[in-house]
Amino acid sequence: TPSPSLIPKLSHLRIFLNDELTNVIPITTEMLGQLTRQRVALDARYLTDFNRLRIEFVGHYTDLCEDLAHSSLWLDIS
């Protein structure tokens, strides 16, 4: 569930598998404030005996000077 205050064209998720960028999921207008499901395909070439999945949230609530600790910058992942 992404914050309803996010700017869709600038906000997104980056998915890394073992430190390799495998997907970028844009946050669309339809997703804002809504429970959303995403299916992410992982490239088997990056799988090893020990795997690490990392999700980076890149969120923007304005296109001007932003406060990185602003209460509008959130995304609920479960």
Side-chain angles (χ1 to χ4, degrees):
T1 306
S3 166
S5 300
L6 296 176
I7 298 176
K9 292 186 186 326
L10 299 177
S11 303
H12 57 278
L13 291 175
R14 295 180 190 150
I15 311 296
F16 292 84
L17 176 61
N18 296 327
D19 295 322
E20 294 289 336
L21 179 64
T22 59
N23 288 288
V24 175
I25 301 173
I27 295 176
T28 64
T29 303
E30 295 78 26
M31 293 176 166
L32 298 178
Q34 301 296 317
L35 178 63
T36 304
R37 288 186 170 211
Q38 291 291 317
R39 179 167 282 213
V40 177
L42 299 176
D43 192 334
R45 294 177 295 171
Y46 299 120
L47 292 173
T48 63
D49 291 336
F50 178 80
N51 297 290
R52 185 173 69 149
L53 186 66
R54 181 177 52 159
I55 302 170
E56 289 183 357
F57 167 55
V58 179
H60 297 278
Y61 64 93
T62 182
D63 57 356
L64 302 173
C65 189
E66 292 182 307
D67 174 8
L68 296 178
H70 195 277
S71 62
S72 294
L73 293 175
W74 60 265
L75 177 82
D76 183 25
I77 297 176
S78 57

